[in-house]
Amino acid sequence: SEETVVPYRCPTDDRIHRYFVDFQIQVRQTTGLLKTYLIEVKPANQTVPPVYPGKQTKRYITESMTFIKNQAKWKAATEYAKDRGWEFKIITEHELGIK
């Protein structure tokens, strides 16, 4: 886990960072071919923009910055995977059947 490193530019500080994707897996398809996936596991609430509470609280600002940073990471990971013929997936508690 976290062996695949994807460089990305974070819009919150306009610097290049390294994103460590949670998992890289290979799955044998019914055709016999191997398909490679980059997998990120996140809580569902981090995959959607935070709800504005009516004023800019510290929590709202932190959640917004996290969402912006995650979007940049996931865009870079999607492009990184596509360039290699792979696929990038985000898995939440919904896909895992936890909630």
Side-chain angles (χ1 to χ4, degrees):
S1 66
E2 294 190 354
E3 292 180 6
T4 304
V5 181
V6 178
Y8 74 100
R9 181 175 300 277
C10 184
T12 61
D13 64 7
D14 200 36
R15 294 177 62 196
I16 299 294
H17 296 271
R18 298 183 328 153
Y19 167 37
F20 295 84
V21 181
D22 287 336
F23 300 99
Q24 178 180 331
I25 63 170
Q26 286 188 321
V27 178
R28 187 166 306 279
Q29 299 176 310
T30 56
T31 61
L33 295 174
L34 286 176
K35 177 142 183 157
T36 302
Y37 292 92
L38 295 179
I39 306 291
E40 180 68 19
V41 180
K42 281 283 185 224
N45 66 352
Q46 289 185 15
T47 64
V48 294
V51 176
Y52 184 65
K55 60 181 179 175
Q56 286 196 3
T57 62
K58 185 175 180 178
R59 178 178 176 174
Y60 174 74
I61 292 169
T62 300
E63 289 175 356
S64 295
M65 296 295 272
T66 298
F67 178 74
I68 290 166
K69 185 184 291 188
N70 283 341
Q71 291 297 302
K73 289 178 182 181
W74 299 338
K75 180 180 178 189
T78 299
E79 293 171 5
Y80 182 92
K82 185 177 179 183
D83 287 347
R84 289 156 178 77
W86 303 346
E87 192 172 337
F88 175 70
K89 294 272 189 191
I90 301 167
I91 295 177
T92 68
E93 64 270 19
H94 302 293
E95 287 81 11
L96 295 173
I98 296 172
K99 282 190 174 184

